[in-house]
Structures are given as structure tokens and as C-alpha cells.
Amino acid sequence: MSANINPLANPKGANKVCELCEKPAYIQCTKCFVTFYCGKEHQDDDWVAIHQKVCQLLIPVRTPVPYYTLEAEREQHYTQILDRQKLLMEISQRVAEKKLFEKRHKESLPAALLSLHSAMDIYGTSGVQLVPAYLLLAEANIGLANLSPAEQYLSWADWTVVRTPDCGRTVRHKLHRCMGRLFIVKGDLEGALFHLANDIYYASEQYGQDSIVTCGGYYLMADVFFRQRKMDIVNSLYTEVANTWHSHLSRLLEKHIENTITPEESFDEAQQAEADQMLRSLLDVPDGGPKQQPAQSAALAHSLGILWLLDGDPEKALEFGRRALGYCQMVQDCWLTDPICRLLHLAEEGLDAAQKGSPDSPPCPSAPPEHQRSALLS
Amino acid sequence: MLTPAVLRDNVPFLPPIRNTDKLLQSREKLGGRISQTSKVRPQSRGRETESSSPMEDDSKKYSLTKDEVALFRNCHKQSVCVDMLRQGYHRSFSELLALLHRWNATRDASERGSDIWEQQPLEEQDHKLDQLCHFLTRAEAAQRADLYEEVYEHQVSLARYFVEPEDKWLSHHFYESSLVTARKVKTDRGRKEAEANSNMGHVCTERGQLETARAHYEAFHHLTEGQAWRDEAGQALHSQACECLWRIHTLLADRMLENKDYRPAIETLTKAFQMAREGGDKAVEGKAAYRVGLAYQSAGDHETAERYLNLYMDISTVLGDDESLGTAYKAIAKSLESEGKLGESIELLEKFVEVSQDESLKHNLEEACMCLGVFFCSRGQYDKGCQHFERAYEIAQHLNSVAVLQKAQVYLGTARACMMMSAYSSHVAEARNVDSCKLVVWKETRNDMFNQADAEKTIDDGEDSRVP
């Protein structure tokens, strides 16, 4: 898979550098012959992260332009290459995002790097299109606790945005969120607050105030205030986040029942995992955290139940649904009781269907929600 | 493991910065501008410099802090929002943004070129944004500490701040939210709630939602019952509530009277009267009684009408208010006349004339004379009627009111014509030589000389005596 090359044997002017670290290369990939590495280690990293997906795609992009006599041919070739580069950028960006969601920061780094390089090939070194790639790199580096490269990437991204006054609010919101994350890790809480505030501002202008995108900013902000021990603010922010998620998931459930859910609205695995982690952390606030109101806990548990039901895991949905009902009974006349009972009912139906599919499992009588309630009450 | 990507082409990414003198100059320039804006927003500026000073002392000589840069690069709306969020006031931020969006939505919904398009957008009016930010954040801080009285105070201050007509909706919005807050205040036996209800009553009246306004005023009245609260001016809240209820009931009744729904109108006015009585202000009570009386009168129940009108009369006498006394006399006279008690009616009308002698009551006097004139004319006593109308006309000449003057003219003219009518028709019927001559003379001069035997005396040739 790899062949040794000697830097001194390269033709004059053709400096082969490592794909990842840009040091002089000693080996090359034998499948495409256009990617070079300083050593085996980097080649393996790149292969796992992104190269196995794009190896063949790189060949046309990186081979020198053949000689065409006609201008039309030259132009056709040029547009073809451009299309391929765009495809390359998209694929690598998607891969990097996915790995970031899965918290595999080390693997996302080469993919993000490739996406940055392709973006630079297409748009030059100062296009606003480079910003997403910078942000991916920065985020991966933050995840790996490499703060100084992360800071550098972010300042490049910032500089690009500053030079493009008409760039969209989405880009700005993402940039500020990433900066916020960096400052949190660095421990500069005031700076983090400044960036998160900007992030929330742009996100609410773009997606609306009750969107879960904006909500992510509030969650991070709550984290900062938690570190500053301003518990009253944390409390009110958590309430806001919990309510937003609860209403969003309730809406999704309605749509799920009516079967009108659109693909953009449904979660993929990584988002599901993130939402689950966030809601859980809200539900089980560590010691010293703000005291939870039972109504809010009920809403959170209910949200988690819906989340798992939508994900197709009725057993977990049932578990959270019961927990929510338990919280509900601590409050008088909780309006959540009915929706929770409906969720339990749906989860049981789902469980029954799953059990009928596998006859080996022992039959379990499904109790109607009323029974559940009385059992819990007693 | 990975160093950040060195750019493939060897162009430096950032331009080299060598000339620091230039940077210093530009900083001074910007500094001047900052100090100008800092007057506008002292509280936020103070905090920003404080937070930025320990961060980078030596680099400060050369560069602006992040906050200063943001202040220039972004619009004021963003600075305000970011300021609020940084201090954790996310509810204030949501509310502010929602209000701004609401304003924009209202504008987009209305036709291009209508009034709202002429106004300066709310998000560009810096001082209003500052005010909103100031009070909203304070209210939120108080809310976090469960100090609902303070929240209420701040909301009311905001509502009072927006007085201009185009900001009415903001004022209404904050009065509404202050009512919600006031309901949560438990320590003052409902005084805040009462005030908030009163404010909401005003708001609904302004919007024309009289029924809702009544509900709010009723809550106000109910809450103030048996409490000795007084406002800053020393006026008792309970009597204020009564007065508000009286006013709203009267407005409601006016609407019903327009549709000729006498029965419900009378009921509503009676309620208004009870409220006025409870409120303890005699003048208001009198007015309320008068309105009930008039309503009964238009419904045809003169006996009850008289009872209420007499009450009005008594109150006016006690208060020594000649003007309202006159109004009372006039109304009662009308009722009596409809009942056929002519003598009493005349008596009252003459009293009306009597009490209206004062110089400031000229218009009442004119009205009294008109009433008397109408009264006599409708009974066929044209000569008496004419006298009164003439007097009314004379007074009307000094009143500066064309409508009143014209009315008097027409009435006087008609009365004179009616007076002449019998003589004229008797002359036509008899048809002697003399009569014909007189008729011819009259036709030529249009002067009334039928009753003056053969004397060639002419009466005044005022234009009023001509009959068209």
C-alpha cells in the first residue's frame, strides 16, 4: 500500500510534502500515487480518517493538466476538475462533522484538513467558504486539547469573516460558538460569555428564538455561569433549554404520529447522542447544582422518553416515561400528565410490536396507562 | 500531532503590521468617538473597560479591545442584545427581540407607504433600546430574586416611558405584563393588582374594548373594596375605581342607546349611577342620575325619569351649580310636558330662565328661551312664542355660534309665519275689497300688516319676518 520515495530523487521544483504535517515526504500511497506522507503513522491516520473514502477521487484532481489544443477542451477539463474538487470538499466536510459528533476528534482532523485544502484550491486563500473548514479544524483541536492550533484556526476564520462584511448569520453564529467553546476550555469565562452572547444573537436572528440551535448556545452559556457559581442564572437558563427541547420534541412526536416528519427534522445518530447527553446532564445535575423543580424534571424526562421513542427504542422510552410520571405526581395538577400517559401508551405499543417480531422473548402483558399510574401511585 | 495547515502558496495570510504609529493614531481617533458614545451608555461602557483592563495591558497601547471593536462594527441593537446576554439576562433578550420582530411584522403586514413605513424602525432608535434594556434587565434580576413588586415597578416604568402615539402598543404590552406580575405579588393585599387592573382598564378603553375594560375595572373595584389606599395625589383608590366604572358603564350605555336598546341601556346606566353614588363624588352622582333620567325619558317612563331628574336637581341645588340646575329644570319640564302637566312645566322653564341669568350662562339662557318658545308655539300661542324666540335670537347673536344662531333664526321665522297664517287665511276667505288690497300690499312688501287695521304702519323689516 505504501512505497518509499526519496525526497532527493524528486524532480526539481516538485516538493512532495506530507498530507498531514507538510514535512518532506518519504512514502506515497500506491493506490492513487498522488498522496504523500512523512511516515507510516500519518498514512494510517489519514487512511482511517478520510483517505480510504476519497483515494480514487484525488487522482484526477492532483494529476497535472494534460495538454489540450482546443480552448473548449481546456475549459471542459477545468470545469470537471472544479466539480470534483467541490465533491471532495463536501465529502471530507461531512466525514469530519460526523466524526466530531461521534467525539472521534483525532480522526476528524485529517478529514477537516482535506476539506480546508480543497476549499483553498477552489476559492483561494481568503474566501468565506473556508470558514466551515477552519471551524471544523478548530473544534477537532479543541477536542484534542491542542489549544494553540485551535486558536490559530479560529483567528483565521475570524479574520476571513471580518473581511467579508456581507457573510451570512449562520457562519457568524458558528464562528462565535466555536470561539465560545475555545474560551471555555481556556478558562477565560468573560470572553466565552462575549462570544456565546454573539452566537445566541445571530442564531436567534437566523433560526428564531425557540430553535434548538439557539438552545445549544444557552446550554453552553449555562455551563459558563455554572463555573462562575451564578446559580440563579444557571437555573433560569436550564429552564429555558428544557422548555425549548420539550416543546421541540413534543412537536416532533406529533409529526411522527401523523407521519409527516421530514428528513431534515429527524435526528441522525450523532445528534441523537448529543441531545441525549445534554438532556441527561440537565436531568441529573451534579451536587451543588441548582435544585430541580419536579415539573421541570418531568418535562426533561418526558423529552428523553420522546427522544428514545423517535429513535426506535421503546424500552428506554418506557423507562423515562415512568420516571417523568413519577416527577409529575410530585406536582399538583401537572398539565404534563396526559402527554406522558400517551407517550407510555405509544412506547408499550412499540414494545409489543417488537416482541411479536421475536417470539423467543417471554410474553409480557401490556398494561394500559391507567394501570401504570395506579401502580406508581401505590 | 498536526501543525495548522501552512498555506500551499507562500503568500503570508495576514498582512505584516510594522507601522504602529499609524495604528496609534487611528486608535486616538476611535477613542474620541468612543467617549462620545459612552455618554449615551455609561453603565455598559464602564463595565466593558473594567473587564478588559486586566486582560492585556501592554498590547492595549496598540490595539482596541474586543468590546470597543464590536461597538463600532455592529449595530446598536446587537450591542444591546449582547450586553444583556453576557450578564445572563436571556429572558430580557428574548422579550426585546420578540418586540422588535413584532414591530417588523406589523410593518410588513401593513401596506407599503402607510404611516408605519414613515416611522423610524424601532431597532434603530437607540435611546428606546437602551431604555428597554435598562428596565428589562432590572426586572429580570428582581424576578430571579422573587421580588415581584420590583418587577412590577420596572414594567410600569417602561409602560409610562412609551407615551408617543406610535409607541402605544409597547405601553399596552408592558401594562399587560405588569398585570401578570402584579397577580404574583402576595404581600400587599392586592394593591398592585388593583393598580394594574386600573391601568389595563385605561388601555382597553383606549383600544375601544369596552367590555374587557369593564371587567378590569370591576376587578379594580372589587380589590379596592374596604381598603383605605390612596394614590400619590392623595385620592382614594376605591373612589377612583367607582368613577372609572361609572365612566365605562356610561360609555357602554351610549353604545346601546345608539342602537335604541333602551332596556339594557337603562340597566347599565343604573349600575353607573350606583357606582357614582358609591364613589361619593356628588357632581358625578348628579350627572349619573341625569343620564338615567334621560334614558327613562327616551324609553317613555316619565315618572321614573322625574324621580332621577329631581335627584339631579337636588344635588345641583346643594352644589350651587346653576348650569346643571338649569339642565335639570329643562329635562324635568320636558317630562312634565309629556305627561300633560303643562302648568308645572312652564313654571320649571321659567325657573330655568331665572337661574341662567348669570353672564357666563348665556347659552343656557338662550336654550331656556328656545324651550319656552317651542312650548308656546306648539300650543298655538304664537305671540308668546315669538317673544321668547326673539329674545333667544338676540342672545344668540352674541354667542359666536353659527349653528345656534341659525337655529334661532329658523324658529323665529316659523313662529312669525304661523302667527300671520290665521290673519292671512281669514283675509283670503272673506275676499272683500279691503282684504284684497291688503293681500296685494302684503305681496308687494311682504310685511305683516293684516292685524293693524288700516294704519299704514310698518313693523320692522327684518329679514326674519319674510316668509319664503
Side-chain angles (χ1 to χ4, degrees):
Chain A
M1 203 173 108
S2 59
N4 287 330
I5 55 163
N6 192 342
L8 289 176
N10 283 342
K12 199 176 179 190
N15 282 328
K16 306 294 183 201
V17 290
C18 175
E19 181 78 5
L20 297 191
C21 62
E22 316 232 348
K23 283 176 186 150
Y26 292 96
I27 53 175
Q28 69 176 335
C29 172
T30 48
K31 293 203 172 164
C32 58
F33 291 106
V34 291
T35 31
F36 303 88
Y37 301 98
C38 60
K40 186 78 184 135
E41 196 187 326
H42 276 186
Q43 188 187 12
D44 288 347
D45 285 342
D46 195 27
W47 180 259
V48 176
I50 180 79
H51 194 67
Q52 58 175 332
K53 291 202 178 71
V54 295
C55 185
Q56 296 306 307
L57 281 173
L58 284 169
I59 300 172
V61 176
R62 292 200 179 161
T63 41
V65 185
Y67 180 71
Y68 290 115
T69 40
L70 294 177
E71 194 180 344
E73 275 181 338
R74 286 198 291 273
E75 284 208 342
Q76 199 203 352
H77 177 80
Y78 178 70
T79 49
Q80 257 181 11
I81 293 293
L82 207 63
D83 283 346
R84 276 161 198 268
Q85 275 174 334
K86 276 183 187 163
L87 182 69
L88 201 61
M89 185 178 98
E90 265 170 43
I91 292 176
S92 49
Q93 202 165 327
R94 240 190 351 255
V95 170
E97 271 168 13
K98 189 158 175 278
K99 306 231 162 173
L100 272 183
F101 271 130
E102 291 162 7
K103 305 265 174 221
R104 283 141 72 185
H105 298 289
K106 202 177 166 198
E107 286 180 21
S108 79
L109 213 47
L113 212 50
L114 179 66
S115 128
L116 177 66
H117 288 164
S118 348
M120 276 183 183
D121 286 338
I122 308 170
Y123 302 106
T125 52
S126 58
V128 75
Q129 292 88 346
L130 266 57
V131 174
Y134 281 135
L135 293 180
L136 285 173
L137 278 166
E139 218 162 306
N141 274 312
I142 294 173
L144 289 171
N146 296 335
L147 293 192
S148 77
E151 211 169 343
Q152 200 164 351
Y153 284 124
L154 276 178
S155 53
W156 281 344
D158 193 22
W159 174 236
T160 315
V161 168
V162 167
R163 280 202 301 188
T164 327
D166 55 342
C167 79
R169 287 188 288 228
T170 323
V171 174
R172 288 173 191 268
H173 129 70
K174 281 187 180 151
L175 171 68
H176 280 293
R177 181 159 300 180
C178 209
M179 298 255 237
R181 284 218 178 96
L182 175 73
F183 278 83
I184 293 179
V185 177
K186 271 170 69 180
D188 177 1
L189 297 182
E190 278 303 318
L193 280 180
F194 173 77
H195 286 295
L196 288 174
N198 274 300
D199 157 40
I200 292 170
Y201 172 78
Y202 286 121
S204 352
E205 288 284 38
Q206 183 68 31
Y207 303 99
Q209 288 173 326
D210 47 356
S211 123
I212 49 170
V213 182
T214 317
C215 211
Y218 281 132
Y219 181 68
L220 285 174
M221 203 175 230
D223 188 30
V224 178
F225 283 119
F226 192 86
R227 283 160 198 240
Q228 290 184 338
R229 314 305 295 171
K230 292 183 179 163
M231 282 310 155
D232 47 346
I233 305 181
V234 176
N235 226 347
S236 93
L237 279 169
Y238 277 171
T239 314
E240 170 93 17
V241 174
N243 288 342
T244 311
W245 269 98
H246 185 249
S247 57
H248 179 75
L249 283 168
S250 302
R251 263 203 310 277
L252 270 187
L253 185 65
E254 288 299 320
K255 284 192 176 169
H256 176 73
I257 293 166
E258 290 162 23
N259 231 341
T260 52
I261 219 159
T262 51
E264 300 97 70
E265 283 171 334
S266 58
F267 296 112
D268 64 26
E269 224 168 278
Q271 284 169 314
Q272 155 91 26
E274 207 186 355
D276 180 51
Q277 186 225 331
M278 186 159 98
L279 290 171
R280 264 175 210 262
S281 72
L282 285 184
L283 190 58
D284 312 313
V285 179
D287 292 335
K291 188 93 181 66
Q292 287 278 333
Q293 297 290 324
Q296 193 182 323
S297 305
L300 281 168
H302 185 210
S303 310
L304 275 165
I306 299 174
L307 192 68
W308 283 110
L309 187 70
L310 291 176
D311 194 40
D313 189 344
E315 211 162 323
K316 272 197 167 166
L318 209 58
E319 181 197 324
F320 279 115
R322 284 185 186 142
R323 204 168 150 191
L325 206 55
Y327 286 124
C328 242
Q329 268 135 20
M330 293 187 216
V331 201
Q332 275 192 336
D333 304 326
C334 188
W335 62 275
L336 275 169
T337 313
D338 285 336
I340 291 173
C341 287
R342 213 168 57 134
L343 172 76
L344 284 172
H345 197 63
L346 281 169
E348 274 156 14
E349 273 174 17
L351 209 58
D352 279 355
Q355 274 162 4
K356 269 171 204 156
S358 55
D360 292 343
S361 55
C364 168
S366 86
E370 287 305 312
H371 290 199
Q372 295 283 344
R373 276 179 75 184
S374 54
L376 274 160
L377 276 167
S378 67
Chain B
M1 138 190 132
L2 301 170
T3 55
V6 173
L7 302 178
R8 297 205 150 184
D9 37 1
N10 283 330
V11 183
F13 191 73
L14 292 161
I17 301 171
R18 294 201 187 86
N19 194 349
T20 46
D21 291 353
K22 208 172 166 186
L23 203 75
L24 274 173
Q25 274 171 15
S26 71
R27 179 172 158 63
E28 270 161 29
K29 232 187 328 186
L30 286 175
R33 277 163 65 196
I34 288 178
S35 63
Q36 277 170 18
T37 49
S38 67
K39 278 172 204 149
V40 188
R41 308 191 307 136
Q43 80 282 12
S44 59
R45 287 284 318 131
R47 204 183 40 69
E48 272 163 26
T49 41
E50 198 182 280
S51 66
S52 60
S53 54
M55 266 167 59
E56 29 195 21
D57 251 328
D58 45 341
S59 67
K60 219 182 159 190
K61 271 187 285 184
Y62 305 109
S63 62
L64 293 159
T65 64
K66 231 178 217 176
D67 303 284
E68 285 163 341
V69 173
L71 209 58
F72 291 111
R73 196 174 288 153
N74 304 324
C75 58
H76 189 71
K77 171 189 166 200
Q78 185 176 350
S79 323
V80 169
C81 289
V82 168
D83 264 352
M84 285 198 281
L85 280 169
R86 280 171 80 175
Q87 296 163 59
Y89 294 118
H90 65 102
R91 287 210 188 115
S92 314
F93 162 73
S94 313
E95 187 159 1
L96 178 66
L97 216 57
L99 286 173
L100 293 176
H101 285 169
R102 195 162 122 194
W103 190 89
N104 289 340
T106 324
R107 187 180 65 171
D108 293 339
S110 68
E111 212 173 302
R112 200 168 264 275
S114 55
D115 283 351
I116 197 165
W117 284 90
E118 301 290 313
Q119 292 168 21
Q120 195 183 13
L122 186 59
E123 55 192 46
E124 285 168 22
Q125 299 184 41
D126 294 355
H127 61 286
K128 284 184 188 165
L129 288 181
D130 287 334
Q131 282 290 334
L132 280 167
C133 170
H134 179 78
F135 284 113
L136 281 175
T137 47
R138 259 143 224 251
E140 194 179 346
Q143 193 179 0
R144 273 193 211 135
D146 279 338
L147 297 170
Y148 287 107
E149 289 98 332
E150 257 182 59
V151 181
Y152 174 81
E153 295 296 336
H154 291 307
Q155 279 166 338
V156 170
S157 323
L158 267 180
R160 292 209 180 117
Y161 175 75
F162 293 104
V163 283
E164 285 152 53
E166 73 258 24
D167 295 330
K168 271 277 175 253
W169 65 278
L170 274 171
S171 171
H172 291 180
H173 169 86
F174 287 113
Y175 276 131
E176 270 167 36
S177 39
S178 77
L179 176 62
V180 176
T181 317
R183 288 197 179 126
K184 294 182 189 156
V185 178
K186 295 285 173 233
T187 50
D188 64 349
R189 288 174 299 163
R191 172 167 181 166
K192 292 265 188 299
E193 192 181 343
E195 283 174 12
N197 265 311
S198 148
N199 289 333
M200 273 314 288
H202 288 306
V203 166
C204 291
T205 320
E206 265 176 37
R207 283 191 197 149
Q209 302 164 334
L210 296 185
E211 283 294 335
T212 338
R214 194 186 61 179
H216 283 297
Y217 280 136
E218 264 164 13
F220 180 31
H221 178 247
H222 179 72
L223 285 163
T224 50
E225 218 155 27
Q227 307 279 11
W229 296 324
R230 287 176 187 280
D231 64 359
E232 295 90 348
Q235 209 182 346
L237 284 183
H238 187 65
S239 61
Q240 264 183 24
C242 292
E243 204 177 319
C244 289
L245 266 177
W246 160 71
R247 193 168 297 126
I248 200 78
H249 276 132
T250 314
L251 284 173
L252 278 167
D254 280 345
R255 238 181 226 185
M256 292 169 189
L257 285 174
E258 267 173 34
N259 304 330
K260 310 242 182 256
D261 296 334
Y262 292 120
R263 191 159 296 282
I266 286 173
E267 273 170 29
T268 322
L269 281 171
T270 316
K271 271 187 211 156
F273 173 63
Q274 281 161 1
M275 279 303 125
R277 179 171 270 185
E278 201 181 321
D281 185 345
K282 278 287 170 194
V284 172
E285 190 184 335
K287 272 185 215 161
Y290 175 59
R291 290 299 312 266
V292 182
L294 281 193
Y296 274 115
Q297 214 171 54
S298 20
D301 184 352
H302 293 288
E303 228 168 282
T304 328
E306 267 168 51
R307 222 175 50 232
Y308 279 101
L309 290 170
N310 279 326
L311 203 63
Y312 180 40
M313 190 173 75
D314 294 344
I315 291 170
S316 303
T317 321
V318 171
L319 290 176
D321 183 353
D322 284 344
E323 181 164 6
S324 50
L325 191 58
T327 324
Y329 283 143
K330 182 187 165 191
I332 300 172
K334 197 177 160 201
S335 270
L336 287 172
E337 188 189 339
S338 319
E339 278 182 308
K341 298 175 181 165
L342 299 181
E344 289 170 46
S345 179
I346 286 278
E347 232 171 73
L348 279 174
L349 283 175
E350 268 155 12
K351 271 191 189 167
F352 184 19
V353 174
E354 220 169 275
V355 296
S356 307
Q357 291 303 327
D358 194 81
E359 192 62 32
S360 60
L361 296 174
K362 279 283 180 215
H363 56 281
N364 264 18
L365 188 58
E366 191 265 351
E367 217 179 307
C369 294
M370 288 293 282
C371 288
L372 275 169
V374 171
F375 181 85
F376 284 120
C377 281
S378 56
R379 305 253 151 4
Q381 301 172 351
Y382 296 114
D383 47 345
K384 272 192 184 170
C386 258
Q387 281 171 15
H388 288 293
F389 280 137
E390 266 164 33
R391 196 170 165 207
Y393 175 68
E394 267 166 38
I395 302 164
Q397 275 172 329
H398 303 289
L399 275 184
N400 292 333
S401 166
V402 181
V404 171
L405 189 65
Q406 281 173 345
K407 194 178 163 195
Q409 273 181 359
V410 171
Y411 273 75
L412 180 57
T414 327
R416 280 191 178 156
C418 291
M419 197 163 78
M420 209 175 63
M421 197 60 194
S422 56
Y424 173 77
S425 37
S426 69
H427 276 80
V428 174
E430 292 203 8
R432 286 174 304 165
N433 196 18
V434 193
D435 299 322
S436 312
C437 285
K438 277 192 175 173
L439 279 170
V440 170
V441 169
W442 176 76
K443 286 252 175 197
E444 276 172 0
T445 61
R446 299 269 164 165
N447 276 343
D448 178 15
M449 292 177 294
F450 297 116
N451 295 334
Q452 288 163 3
D454 296 313
E456 295 293 326
K457 228 163 68 183
T458 52
I459 53 172
D460 77 304
D461 49 357
E463 52 179 352
D464 320 310
S465 57
R466 291 209 182 117
V467 179

